[in-house]
Amino acid sequence: MLRVSIASPQELVSVERAPLRQIARTVLEGEEVAEAEISLAFVDNPTIHQLNNRYLQHDEPTDVLTFPLSEPTARKLVGEIVIGAEVALAQAQAQGHDVQAELALYVIHGILHLCGYGDKTAAEAIKMHERERHYLLQQGLPDIAPVVEQ
């Protein structure tokens, strides 16, 4: 069973919940996760800034924070993904694409982190962004995954 719940600051960014749930399910199934419970929270800049500072000691808003709540070897993948809705809106506007595509990218990115993908090294980031690109294109979304130079 794959369960995905979503919360959002709707006054900032309209979050299309059904497509994001489907994207989450598609990524989980694509990564061969048979059982998962993932919470997606879409928050404003002050909230994501506070969480980023508290948990990563980064004093700024960010796009995605991922909190694994199960062990990597657990039968059921459990985790929380916090997404900066205002960051997504600003990034989408700056890059000239739809905010829903940016939100989809962040959902994919967060789930890939929960599935064990990293992005701290260039090699990890390349692999992560290849998977993001795969899922974006699979969903008929634009290829907005970051490009990492080797």
Side-chain angles (χ1 to χ4, degrees):
M1 177 178 104
L2 302 175
R3 193 173 121 203
V4 179
S5 58
I6 298 178
S8 169
Q10 291 294 316
E11 65 279 1
L12 299 174
V13 176
S14 175
V15 175
E16 296 177 10
R17 294 169 186 240
L20 292 175
R21 274 192 196 100
Q22 183 54 48
I23 289 166
R25 286 185 183 105
T26 298
V27 175
L28 290 165
E29 290 168 0
E31 297 302 316
E32 300 180 355
V33 175
E35 191 171 355
E37 186 171 336
I38 309 296
S39 171
L40 302 174
F42 297 82
V43 301
D44 59 14
N45 272 354
T47 303
I48 197 94
H49 185 157
Q50 178 185 25
L51 292 169
N52 198 24
N53 195 350
R54 179 175 179 185
Y55 292 102
L56 297 177
Q57 292 72 52
H58 299 158
D59 193 19
E60 63 190 4
T62 191
D63 50 5
V64 182
L65 293 171
T66 306
F67 300 96
L69 301 175
S70 59
E71 295 297 321
T73 57
R75 187 175 68 81
K76 180 178 182 179
L77 179 67
V78 180
E80 295 179 352
I81 300 169
V82 182
I83 294 173
E86 286 183 275
V87 173
L89 180 60
Q91 190 70 314
Q93 289 172 339
Q95 299 297 320
H97 58 258
D98 184 68
V99 69
Q100 297 306 315
E102 192 74 17
L103 292 172
L105 173 63
Y106 295 176
V107 168
I108 293 166
H109 185 86
I111 291 174
L112 289 173
H113 269 308
L114 289 178
C115 290
Y117 288 83
D119 58 4
K120 297 295 183 208
T121 69
E124 289 175 337
I126 288 168
K127 188 173 181 180
M128 167 80 84
H129 298 319
E130 285 174 357
R131 295 307 290 160
E132 291 169 349
R133 189 166 287 107
H134 167 78
Y135 290 114
L136 287 167
L137 296 175
Q138 183 182 47
Q139 295 296 308
L141 294 167
D143 179 2
I144 59 171
V147 176
V148 178
E149 300 296 324
Q150 293 193 44

